[in-house]
Amino acid sequence: MLDVCLLGTSGMMPLPRRHLTALMTRYNGSSLLIDCGEGTQVTIRAQGWSLHDVDVICITHVHGDHIGGLPGLLLSMANSDRTEPLTIIGPSGVKKVADSLRIIAPGLPFEIRYKELSEEFLSIECDGYTLEAFRLKHTVTCYGYSQIIHRGGRFDADRAREAEIPLSAWSRLQKGETVEAEGRVFTPDMVLGPPRKGIKVTYCTDTRPIPKIAECAAGADLFICEGMYGDPEFTGKAKEKKHMVFTDAAALARDAGVKELWLTHFSPSLIRPKDYEQVAREIFPNSHVGKDRKTVTLTFDDE
Amino acid sequence: MLDVCLLGTSGMMPLPRRHLTALMTRYNGSSLLIDCGEGTQVTIRAQGWSLHDVDVICITHVHGDHIGGLPGLLLSMANSDRTEPLTIIGPSGVKKVADSLRIIAPGLPFEIRYKELSEEFLSIECDGYTLEAFRLKHTVTCYGYSQIIHRGGRFDADRAREAEIPLSAWSRLQKGETVEAEGRVFTPDMVLGPPRKGIKVTYCTDTRPIPKIAECAAGADLFICEGMYGDPEFTGKAKEKKHMVFTDAAALARDAGVKELWLTHFSPSLIRPKDYEQVAREIFPNSHVGKDRKTVTLTFDDE
């Protein structure tokens, strides 16, 4: 199962009751953070999740509201006695920006490994899950990310017994490993059905709505998408600033066939985003206005 | 009169209900900010004070918890349409650190003028007030600051009438200006008594207690001082980390003969600083544990 927490919902600047937009997920003892604005470490603490276990940080783009909190987070991770390497993934140039910000976080007790993106689309294998990065359309190079937890096929005990596979090999075969035992070789395809639906979360900010987003979010259990403005009348402003209105995000959710949409990255001028939730629901019924630390635990379908 | 707001009380890292230590004052339409950690712009907004009018930012030292929020604040000041120059005062090297952090706040619509300090003590004339900077004793070069609002002598109308000074010259003489009128020259000393007590606020973090602090805070109306630890048993740790316990700060307040002490910059390990207020009061009775956005308006004595 995957714990998902939308750490904040503000765009452009942090507000007293609205942290900057960022996402954190926890899977199998490892945490993923997407974006780290000023104050992101505070909302992680308010949520009660550990900074120590953040193994991967994805940065969508190097605007201040998405990366300004990085040095403070790194300092606090150092204070939590982390020594394991940390991976930072982001658009080409992210290392330069991170290094410049790190003038106040120079000596860290853990290594930082950078993965700079320049592709239109890239799939990255992480510890137990797949990250997909896809290029968005903003004023600077920007990436959306999907976290995908794959799920192998169902284990068929009857077939395992028929093939006289020793019990000691079953659990490794179930994990997809090939096993040698009793002088024979057993492969997962002997006992596993076709791969089953896993878990997919797609995160997408800051960008204009482009068809590629719907392709990359296809079938997601949860699609977290920017909606800078609620009122469709701000469409012109959204185009100018390379952002979206709620209905743009809802249309992407509908086209992608996702299960649920959370809107985020609200303009400071959008005082009550809830007022425009219905506008989004007319296009995609399962639309929800995000709020700080909105949390869900996603499980496999029949768990 | 001088509005004073202790924006936060945390040391080392920002916490969900404790912003990093920083001070803001407002005098005569101009605001002064001392220190700018991650989230300082948020607590300014929570206080409802304007970012736009910050004309001077003093940085005590370039540790992350005292300067990490600078680029975000500058971006937000730019968004508030500020165009007037901003002065940043701090220890030698502050420009290099600020420039490095400004990789996420590169183009600003206002000029930044730096004043780097290397002196043991320096008095700086600002718009209507005096700033005094004095070197502290920390792990890196660090300065304390006093903001002093001077007050001229009382205007003696009887003497003005005796000297046959025209009424039109009175208000300028009262402000300390020399006036030529009706073919004669009038000087302030003809009508003003001796200078009266003004307003003084002294801010002091991070440091060991050294006698110079009491000298520089002498006679302050308000002394805001770090107290990293409440329990005097942490004196050893305070020495090691180059910080103070509450009783160190209280002894400085007593020696300086200040009117009131506010303690701040609490260790995250100090959950309930109020528990140790009495310990400070035994040394200096008018000691108060600070809290986020503790605010006072200081006035001249007989106002």
Side-chain angles (χ1 to χ4, degrees), chain B residues 144-173:
Chain B
Y145 296 95
S146 292
Q147 181 177 20
I148 299 166
I149 297 172
H150 298 289
R151 190 181 190 197
R154 189 181 300 278
F155 186 85
D156 189 332
D158 290 339
R159 282 172 66 194
R161 272 185 290 263
E162 272 169 36
E164 295 183 341
I165 299 172
L167 268 172
S168 61
W170 285 26
S171 96
R172 288 175 61 199
L173 285 167

Short mmCIF file of all heavy atoms in Angstrom, two decimals, chain B residues 144-173:
data_model
loop_
_atom_site.label_atom_id
_atom_site.label_comp_id
_atom_site.label_asym_id
_atom_site.label_seq_id
_atom_site.Cartn_x
_atom_site.Cartn_y
_atom_site.Cartn_z
N GLY B 144 24.84 41.42 16.97
CA GLY B 144 23.60 41.87 17.60
C GLY B 144 23.30 43.27 17.09
O GLY B 144 24.18 43.96 16.55
N TYR B 145 22.04 43.68 17.24
CA TYR B 145 21.64 44.99 16.73
C TYR B 145 20.77 45.73 17.75
O TYR B 145 19.93 45.11 18.41
CB TYR B 145 20.83 44.84 15.44
CG TYR B 145 21.62 44.25 14.28
CD1 TYR B 145 21.59 42.88 14.01
CD2 TYR B 145 22.41 45.06 13.47
CE1 TYR B 145 22.32 42.33 12.97
CE2 TYR B 145 23.15 44.52 12.41
CZ TYR B 145 23.10 43.15 12.17
OH TYR B 145 23.82 42.61 11.14
N SER B 146 20.97 47.05 17.83
CA SER B 146 20.03 47.89 18.57
C SER B 146 19.41 48.89 17.61
O SER B 146 20.11 49.46 16.77
CB SER B 146 20.73 48.67 19.69
OG SER B 146 21.19 47.81 20.71
N GLN B 147 18.10 49.07 17.72
CA GLN B 147 17.44 50.15 16.98
C GLN B 147 17.12 51.25 17.99
O GLN B 147 16.47 50.98 19.01
CB GLN B 147 16.15 49.64 16.33
CG GLN B 147 15.45 50.74 15.53
CD GLN B 147 14.19 50.24 14.81
OE1 GLN B 147 13.62 49.21 15.18
NE2 GLN B 147 13.77 50.96 13.78
N ILE B 148 17.61 52.44 17.69
CA ILE B 148 17.47 53.54 18.65
C ILE B 148 16.76 54.71 17.98
O ILE B 148 17.19 55.18 16.92
CB ILE B 148 18.86 54.01 19.16
CG1 ILE B 148 19.54 52.84 19.87
CG2 ILE B 148 18.73 55.21 20.08
CD1 ILE B 148 21.02 53.06 20.13
N ILE B 149 15.68 55.14 18.60
CA ILE B 149 14.97 56.31 18.08
C ILE B 149 15.27 57.46 19.02
O ILE B 149 14.91 57.43 20.21
CB ILE B 149 13.47 56.02 17.98
CG1 ILE B 149 13.29 54.89 16.98
CG2 ILE B 149 12.71 57.27 17.54
CD1 ILE B 149 11.92 54.35 16.91
N HIS B 150 15.96 58.44 18.50
CA HIS B 150 16.38 59.57 19.33
C HIS B 150 15.21 60.52 19.50
O HIS B 150 14.31 60.59 18.68
CB HIS B 150 17.55 60.30 18.67
CG HIS B 150 18.76 59.41 18.53
ND1 HIS B 150 19.52 59.03 19.60
CD2 HIS B 150 19.31 58.83 17.44
CE1 HIS B 150 20.51 58.24 19.17
NE2 HIS B 150 20.40 58.10 17.86
N ARG B 151 15.29 61.29 20.57
CA ARG B 151 14.24 62.27 20.82
C ARG B 151 14.90 63.59 21.21
O ARG B 151 15.68 63.63 22.17
CB ARG B 151 13.34 61.78 21.95
CG ARG B 151 12.11 62.61 22.09
CD ARG B 151 11.23 62.12 23.22
NE ARG B 151 9.96 62.82 23.15
CZ ARG B 151 9.11 62.89 24.14
NH1 ARG B 151 9.36 62.29 25.28
NH2 ARG B 151 7.98 63.57 24.00
N GLY B 152 14.58 64.62 20.48
CA GLY B 152 15.17 65.93 20.74
C GLY B 152 14.67 66.51 22.06
O GLY B 152 13.80 65.96 22.72
N GLY B 153 15.22 67.66 22.41
CA GLY B 153 14.80 68.34 23.64
C GLY B 153 13.41 68.94 23.49
O GLY B 153 12.88 69.07 22.39
N ARG B 154 12.83 69.30 24.65
CA ARG B 154 11.50 69.90 24.67
C ARG B 154 11.58 71.32 24.07
O ARG B 154 12.53 72.07 24.35
CB ARG B 154 10.99 69.96 26.11
CG ARG B 154 9.54 70.37 26.25
CD ARG B 154 9.15 70.41 27.72
NE ARG B 154 9.31 69.10 28.36
CZ ARG B 154 8.40 68.11 28.27
NH1 ARG B 154 7.28 68.29 27.59
NH2 ARG B 154 8.61 66.96 28.87
N PHE B 155 10.59 71.71 23.31
CA PHE B 155 10.53 73.03 22.70
C PHE B 155 10.02 74.03 23.75
O PHE B 155 9.00 73.80 24.40
CB PHE B 155 9.58 73.00 21.50
CG PHE B 155 9.54 74.28 20.72
CD1 PHE B 155 10.49 74.55 19.72
CD2 PHE B 155 8.58 75.26 20.97
CE1 PHE B 155 10.47 75.72 19.00
CE2 PHE B 155 8.55 76.44 20.26
CZ PHE B 155 9.50 76.67 19.26
N ASP B 156 10.75 75.13 23.91
CA ASP B 156 10.39 76.13 24.94
C ASP B 156 9.77 77.33 24.25
O ASP B 156 10.46 78.22 23.72
CB ASP B 156 11.65 76.52 25.72
CG ASP B 156 11.31 77.38 26.93
OD1 ASP B 156 10.27 78.09 26.90
OD2 ASP B 156 12.09 77.34 27.89
N ALA B 157 8.43 77.38 24.23
CA ALA B 157 7.71 78.43 23.50
C ALA B 157 8.00 79.82 24.09
O ALA B 157 8.08 80.81 23.35
CB ALA B 157 6.21 78.15 23.52
N ASP B 158 8.18 79.87 25.41
CA ASP B 158 8.47 81.16 26.05
C ASP B 158 9.77 81.75 25.51
O ASP B 158 9.84 82.94 25.16
CB ASP B 158 8.56 81.01 27.57
CG ASP B 158 7.18 80.71 28.17
OD1 ASP B 158 6.17 81.03 27.49
OD2 ASP B 158 7.14 80.14 29.28
N ARG B 159 10.81 80.86 25.42
CA ARG B 159 12.09 81.35 24.89
C ARG B 159 11.95 81.77 23.44
O ARG B 159 12.57 82.75 22.99
CB ARG B 159 13.17 80.25 24.99
CG ARG B 159 13.72 80.09 26.41
CD ARG B 159 14.62 78.88 26.54
NE ARG B 159 15.86 79.00 25.75
CZ ARG B 159 16.67 77.97 25.48
NH1 ARG B 159 16.36 76.75 25.93
NH2 ARG B 159 17.77 78.16 24.78
N ALA B 160 11.14 81.03 22.66
CA ALA B 160 10.94 81.36 21.25
C ALA B 160 10.30 82.75 21.11
O ALA B 160 10.69 83.55 20.26
CB ALA B 160 10.09 80.29 20.57
N ARG B 161 9.32 83.02 21.98
CA ARG B 161 8.65 84.31 21.92
C ARG B 161 9.59 85.42 22.36
O ARG B 161 9.68 86.47 21.73
CB ARG B 161 7.40 84.30 22.81
CG ARG B 161 6.17 83.80 22.04
CD ARG B 161 4.90 83.91 22.90
NE ARG B 161 4.90 82.95 23.99
CZ ARG B 161 4.29 81.76 23.95
NH1 ARG B 161 3.60 81.41 22.89
NH2 ARG B 161 4.35 80.95 24.98
N GLU B 162 10.38 85.17 23.44
CA GLU B 162 11.34 86.17 23.93
C GLU B 162 12.33 86.55 22.85
O GLU B 162 12.70 87.71 22.70
CB GLU B 162 12.13 85.60 25.12
CG GLU B 162 11.46 85.84 26.47
CD GLU B 162 12.16 85.01 27.56
OE1 GLU B 162 13.40 84.85 27.49
OE2 GLU B 162 11.45 84.50 28.45
N ALA B 163 12.78 85.50 22.08
CA ALA B 163 13.78 85.75 21.03
C ALA B 163 13.12 86.29 19.76
O ALA B 163 13.78 86.48 18.74
CB ALA B 163 14.54 84.46 20.73
N GLU B 164 11.81 86.51 19.83
CA GLU B 164 11.04 87.04 18.70
C GLU B 164 11.26 86.22 17.42
O GLU B 164 11.50 86.75 16.34
CB GLU B 164 11.38 88.52 18.47
CG GLU B 164 10.94 89.37 19.65
CD GLU B 164 11.19 90.86 19.43
OE1 GLU B 164 12.00 91.18 18.54
OE2 GLU B 164 10.57 91.66 20.13
N ILE B 165 11.20 84.89 17.61
CA ILE B 165 11.32 83.99 16.45
C ILE B 165 9.94 83.88 15.80
O ILE B 165 8.96 83.58 16.48
CB ILE B 165 11.81 82.59 16.89
CG1 ILE B 165 13.19 82.70 17.55
CG2 ILE B 165 11.86 81.62 15.70
CD1 ILE B 165 13.70 81.43 18.18
N PRO B 166 9.88 84.09 14.49
CA PRO B 166 8.56 84.04 13.84
C PRO B 166 7.95 82.63 13.95
O PRO B 166 8.67 81.63 13.88
CB PRO B 166 8.85 84.39 12.38
CG PRO B 166 10.32 84.25 12.20
CD PRO B 166 10.96 84.44 13.54
N LEU B 167 6.64 82.56 14.11
CA LEU B 167 5.93 81.28 14.28
C LEU B 167 6.23 80.29 13.17
O LEU B 167 6.31 79.08 13.39
CB LEU B 167 4.42 81.54 14.31
CG LEU B 167 3.80 81.77 15.69
CD1 LEU B 167 2.35 82.22 15.55
CD2 LEU B 167 3.88 80.49 16.53
N SER B 168 6.43 80.84 11.96
CA SER B 168 6.64 79.97 10.79
C SER B 168 7.93 79.14 10.92
O SER B 168 8.10 78.14 10.24
CB SER B 168 6.72 80.82 9.52
OG SER B 168 7.81 81.73 9.63
N ALA B 169 8.83 79.56 11.80
CA ALA B 169 10.10 78.84 11.94
C ALA B 169 10.06 77.78 13.05
O ALA B 169 10.95 76.94 13.15
CB ALA B 169 11.23 79.84 12.23
N TRP B 170 9.05 77.84 13.89
CA TRP B 170 9.03 77.01 15.09
C TRP B 170 9.13 75.51 14.80
O TRP B 170 9.92 74.79 15.41
CB TRP B 170 7.73 77.27 15.91
CG TRP B 170 7.76 78.59 16.67
CD1 TRP B 170 8.48 79.69 16.34
CD2 TRP B 170 7.03 78.89 17.84
NE1 TRP B 170 8.26 80.71 17.24
CE2 TRP B 170 7.34 80.23 18.18
CE3 TRP B 170 6.12 78.20 18.65
CZ2 TRP B 170 6.79 80.87 19.30
CZ3 TRP B 170 5.57 78.84 19.75
CH2 TRP B 170 5.92 80.17 20.08
N SER B 171 8.32 75.03 13.85
CA SER B 171 8.27 73.56 13.69
C SER B 171 9.59 73.02 13.14
O SER B 171 10.04 71.93 13.52
CB SER B 171 7.09 73.15 12.81
OG SER B 171 7.47 72.98 11.47
N ARG B 172 10.26 73.79 12.28
CA ARG B 172 11.54 73.32 11.76
C ARG B 172 12.61 73.34 12.85
O ARG B 172 13.47 72.45 12.93
CB ARG B 172 11.96 74.14 10.54
CG ARG B 172 11.11 73.82 9.29
CD ARG B 172 11.44 74.71 8.12
NE ARG B 172 12.83 74.55 7.69
CZ ARG B 172 13.48 75.46 6.94
NH1 ARG B 172 12.86 76.57 6.55
NH2 ARG B 172 14.73 75.26 6.61
N LEU B 173 12.56 74.37 13.70
CA LEU B 173 13.50 74.43 14.84
C LEU B 173 13.28 73.24 15.77
O LEU B 173 14.24 72.61 16.25
CB LEU B 173 13.32 75.73 15.60
CG LEU B 173 13.87 76.98 14.92
CD1 LEU B 173 13.35 78.24 15.60
CD2 LEU B 173 15.41 76.97 14.92
#
